[in-house]
Structure formats: C-alpha cells, structure tokens
Amino acid sequence: MIEMSLAELSVALAGPKSESNERFKGVSINSRNIQPNNLFIALKGEKFDGHDYVYDAAIKGAKAAIVKKLCRKANLPQLIVKDTSTALARLGEYWRAKFTMPVVGITGSVGKTTVKEMIGSILNQTGSCVISEGNMNNEIGLPLTLFKIGGKTKFVVLEMGAAKVGDIEYLAKLAKPDIGVITCCAPAHLKNFKSLENIALTKGALVSNLSLQGTAILNREDYFFERWCKMRSSSNMISFGESGQCFSSEVVVKRDSSTFCLNYNSERQKINIQHPGQHNIKNALAAAAASFALGLGFKTIKNGLAAAPKIPGRLFWIRKKNVNILDDSYNANPQALNAAIDTLSTERGEKWVVFGDMLELGATTQKFHDESVVKMNNADITRLFAIGRFSGQATMYFQKESEIFSDLNKLIIRLKQLINKAEPKVSILVKGSRATNLDLVVKAIREADI
C-alpha cells in the first residue's frame, strides 16, 4: 500500500514544496471510508464535490489532503493543485514507477473482467497479486488500484475500460504494463466512438504502450488482429483462439462448466473451468496466454483456471426449485448478448429472455436490437419480455409470445405469476445495460418463494 512523506508527495506532484516528514498511508477519495493516516484527494464530479468533505476527512483522521481550494476549517495539511483528478493520476504513475514486478493490462469490448479474474486466480497460485476490484477500470479506479502495490506484491493485474477515444492510451501510460491483453473488438459505446475502427484503435493503444521487452496477447480470430500486430511496440506476441499459438481442442461445454484441452508450444493440458459457454473458453485461452508470457507452467494455469470465481451479474447461473436465472444483468452489448443467448439455448425446457435496452450504440442502436431478437428466434427462445424503447420495438421480429413493459415492478410481478404456472422448470436470461437496472429483476426473482 502506498506510504510516503508529505515532502515526497510534493515532489511526486511537482507542487508547492513541503519539508514535512509526516507520513500518510493509503489514499481515499471518499470521506465515508477514510482510515486514520490516509491521504484524502478531493475529486469533483458532475454531482459531487470532494471539497465539501475535507473537514469530515480531517475529523476521521486523514493525515493530509490534496485540494484545488483550501478548506480553512479543516485542521490538516492541504496540498493545493490545479486539478485533483490529474494529481490522482500523477501520484498513481509515480507510485507504480517505484516497482519492477510484472503488470498485466487487460482491455477489450467483451470479456475483460472475466479474463482479469482468471489471470488473477492463476497468478495468486504463485504469491501476492494486486487485482482491479469491481469496475475500478477507469481514470479514477486504476490509480486507486496502483496504490495497493506494496513490497510483497509479485504481480499486478489491471482491467482497463474505455468510454471514448484516448482512454486506454491514458491508462496505459499510467500503468506501464509489461503484458497487454486485448480480448476483442465489438460494438460498445458506439455513440462516443462513432465506429468499430475507432474502438479498435483505442484498444490497440494498450499494446502500443508496452515496453520493448513486453508481450502483446492478441485474439487471432478478431477482425482487427493484424492491425493490433502492427500497432504493438514490442516484438513479443502470443496469439490465442482458433489458428492462434494458444488454442483449445476437445471442447465440452456443460450447463455450469466447460472442459477443453489447452494447447501451447506442442504441449497440451486438460482444463476445467467453472464457467459455461464457448466464449469463456476463449477468455480462458487469453488468461493462459498471458500466464505463459509470464513464464508460468501448465499445472499452475490449470489450478488457477479451475479456481477462478464466477462473477454475479456476468453470465451467472442462479438455480432454484422452479426457475433457473441466467444473471447477465451487469451490462450489455450485442456480442455479449449473443454469447448469453448461446448459453441459454443449451438448457432444456422453456427458455425466456428479459431484454433491456443496450445503450450507447449510436445510430445503429435499433438495428442491433432487431438482430438480437432474430437470433433469439433461431435459438428457440419461447418467451420474450422487453423493457425499454429499443428492445420494445424489436419485439415485432419475435416469432413467439412477447410482452413490453415500461415499469420494472410490473415486469417483476408478471414474471413471478408466469414462473409459478410454468411447467416444466423454466430458464430465464436477464440482460440489459447497467442503466436499465435489471439486477433488481434478478434480485426479486432470486428472493421470491418460487
């Protein structure tokens, strides 16, 4: 965990010089979870201003604060900077530069969180590993993760998300990764990116910022594979997927798990993962390739992949007496939805989909929703529940029974009624962008006596 004197802090931020030998330990941007001796950084967002809480941070034991404007009633040292968000990033970059352990950066339109957890599980077999938590994958979360690095850290695994052009470039320059993993390029945040090309170029910035000794881990099946190969700053590369250097064979996809043979450098190993779906085998290949680049062997990779956790909200099965819920409610884009439909289609009995809008897809939003509903027909989905403008309009292409809702509570009530009447047991996929709050639907069904 980050620890330094206020004098060194002033050097790190190139701010007003301090001679103080007072030391802080750990960083917080939220006064509610301040720990004694933390450094508090007063960030300002659209709906909040951390400067309103500097006094609270001082009362709770903060050692110092980084601010844009002085809080006169707070009795603690305050380092005044032009922009506190920039200061957060600069301090993260400064702290990361103190260490030489390998750093793995992961980006991609789909699968990056699962790959992050798989790599983290593998590396944790060998010693202490700092891993991005939750959705800490942006310009705020990544520096906060870097602050957790300490003297005993052997590896760092960082998820890197992008909502606009330039985001990955920014994060990669802070983290200075040695291994760069790009899972894939798919339609996501198209409203901001405008094109798949821009998404690919943005993701490719990860491998453009590797050290000369670094290694790029690239999806051989992706349309932009060759483009990323040309973008990489290192000559080292391991490809994964069909026709890749790291590939799968003898694949068996089960209801709640998958098995396959992992092939690399003319060697092979049978692997079992507690994740259903062909796409998760590809995620496991990406994780294995990154681990091979770090010099780890088949046995460690096998054990780590077997121990990799399932992630609630991300293709997570909840099996009850009268209903199976495939919780994929964390977020949505067309490629992720297609993978979820494929997973649902392997279930026996009736298969339903609760379909919330996929947002930030720009001018092609309705087209993607329509195409997804056509895929549901081909996957033998028997009932569709749509909530949202785009998913609602797309129901016109559904060939069986569909219903449109504008209220989550009414949707939940309807689902409970139908589940109680369903024979035999029904399986339901719940999928939509985070803003549609479909996690509340999952919670309600999970907790209901059905």
Side-chain angles (χ1 to χ4, degrees):
M1 179 184 294
I2 187 170
E3 181 178 1
M4 66 177 66
S5 68
L6 300 187
E8 185 179 1
L9 175 64
S10 69
V11 172
L13 299 183
K17 192 173 182 181
S18 171
E19 302 292 342
S20 175
N21 289 321
E22 289 282 317
R23 298 182 71 81
F24 72 86
K25 184 176 182 179
V27 173
S28 177
I29 61 171
N30 187 335
S31 64
R32 289 176 295 184
N33 58 27
I34 281 281
Q35 299 297 313
N37 298 318
N38 274 180
L39 172 69
F40 178 67
I41 302 182
L43 300 181
K44 189 178 187 308
E46 292 181 5
K47 299 180 179 179
F48 69 91
D49 188 344
H51 294 84
D52 297 335
Y53 303 97
V54 175
Y55 176 76
D56 292 344
I59 292 297
K60 292 181 179 180
K63 179 65 70 173
I66 295 176
V67 298
K68 186 175 181 179
K69 56 185 179 182
L70 188 68
C71 177
R72 298 191 179 280
K73 67 176 182 177
N75 184 24
L76 83 172
Q78 297 173 55
L79 181 63
I80 300 175
V81 297
K82 289 183 179 180
D83 184 272
T84 53
S85 295
T86 300
L88 173 72
R90 184 173 291 174
L91 183 58
E93 182 180 15
Y94 179 87
W95 185 248
R96 186 271 179 262
K98 285 177 170 286
F99 300 90
T100 58
M101 78 276 118
V103 174
V104 181
I106 306 153
T107 193
S109 303
V110 179
K112 55 185 176 291
T113 299
T114 300
V115 172
K116 173 199 71 177
E117 294 295 337
M118 287 178 168
I119 293 175
S121 182
I122 294 168
L123 298 183
N124 270 328
Q125 307 293 310
T126 70
S128 176
C129 182
V130 170
I131 308 170
S132 298
E133 295 180 1
N135 62 348
M136 301 282 279
N137 63 4
N138 58 15
E139 68 277 9
I140 305 300
L142 186 137
L144 292 174
T145 303
L146 293 175
F147 296 146
K148 295 180 180 181
I149 299 172
K152 295 183 179 180
T153 303
K154 291 189 67 176
F155 299 99
V156 179
V157 182
L158 301 171
E159 180 178 336
M160 299 182 182
K164 62 183 184 302
V165 172
D167 280 353
I168 300 301
E169 177 93 16
Y170 180 84
L171 298 177
K173 288 186 181 302
L174 297 184
K176 298 178 177 60
D178 304 283
I179 309 293
V181 183
I182 306 179
T183 62
C184 67
C185 177
H189 302 294
L190 267 177
K191 183 177 180 181
N192 294 334
F193 284 108
K194 307 302 182 187
S195 70
L196 269 179
E197 179 91 3
N198 286 338
I199 294 174
L201 292 174
T202 298
K203 304 298 183 185
L206 175 56
V207 295
S208 296
N209 284 278
L210 297 174
S211 66
L212 293 177
Q213 294 75 39
T215 303
I217 309 298
L218 300 176
N219 183 349
R220 187 66 182 83
E221 298 174 38
D222 197 280
Y223 177 81
F224 292 97
F225 172 77
E226 296 294 345
R227 174 69 63 85
W228 291 329
C229 286
K230 293 176 182 177
M231 292 179 68
R232 58 199 168 102
S233 54
S234 165
S235 61
N236 302 318
M237 188 266 289
I238 299 176
S239 60
F240 65 92
E242 189 175 347
S243 300
Q245 296 160 275
C246 185
F247 64 94
S248 61
S249 61
E250 300 178 32
V251 171
V252 178
V253 177
K254 303 175 184 178
R255 294 180 71 205
D256 297 286
S257 64
S258 304
T259 61
F260 63 98
C261 277
L262 171 64
N263 298 264
Y264 181 67
N265 278 352
S266 300
E267 295 185 54
R268 61 191 314 204
Q269 173 72 61
K270 188 173 182 179
I271 301 290
N272 180 72
I273 57 174
Q274 300 305 308
H275 299 72
Q278 182 72 43
H279 64 291
N280 274 320
I281 293 176
K282 194 173 298 180
N283 288 335
L285 292 175
S291 303
F292 285 131
L294 291 168
L296 301 184
F298 276 92
K299 183 177 179 181
T300 302
I301 293 170
K302 176 182 179 178
N303 292 340
L305 287 174
K310 297 180 180 180
I311 310 170
R314 299 174 189 268
L315 218 64
F316 186 87
W317 276 113
I318 302 167
R319 298 192 182 275
K320 300 185 64 178
K321 182 179 179 181
N322 295 321
V323 63
N324 298 319
I325 311 162
L326 183 54
D327 177 13
D328 208 24
S329 60
Y330 180 79
N331 215 336
N333 63 48
Q335 185 163 318
L337 175 58
N338 286 344
I341 294 170
D342 287 340
T343 301
L344 179 66
S345 68
T346 63
E347 292 291 302
R348 297 177 180 177
E350 284 203 46
K351 293 175 277 288
W352 303 351
V353 174
V354 176
F355 184 22
D357 279 359
M358 299 182 289
L359 305 176
E360 299 182 30
L361 294 176
T364 53
T365 298
Q366 191 60 60
K367 172 178 174 288
F368 283 122
H369 285 77
D370 296 346
E371 289 174 350
S372 295
V373 168
V374 170
K375 180 175 176 64
M376 293 178 199
N377 292 326
N378 297 332
D380 196 30
I381 304 303
T382 49
R383 201 157 192 156
L384 174 61
F385 305 85
I387 181 162
R389 170 189 166 193
F390 300 106
S391 55
Q393 186 170 328
T395 59
M396 65 185 293
Y397 295 100
F398 193 63
Q399 295 172 352
K400 296 182 181 178
E401 190 168 355
S402 64
E403 299 179 48
I404 302 172
F405 295 83
S406 58
D407 181 88
L408 276 178
N409 289 326
K410 291 180 179 178
L411 169 59
I412 291 167
I413 291 169
R414 180 61 171 157
L415 285 171
K416 288 179 180 179
Q417 291 172 343
L418 292 172
I419 290 168
N420 280 323
K421 297 177 183 178
E423 288 289 346
K425 188 175 183 179
V426 65
S427 298
I428 307 175
L429 166 65
V430 182
K431 182 74 171 170
S433 285
R434 198 179 316 173
T436 62
N437 296 317
L438 291 188
D439 58 308
L440 298 178
V441 174
V442 174
K443 183 174 184 293
I445 302 174
R446 185 183 66 231
E447 295 178 352
D449 185 21
I450 51 178

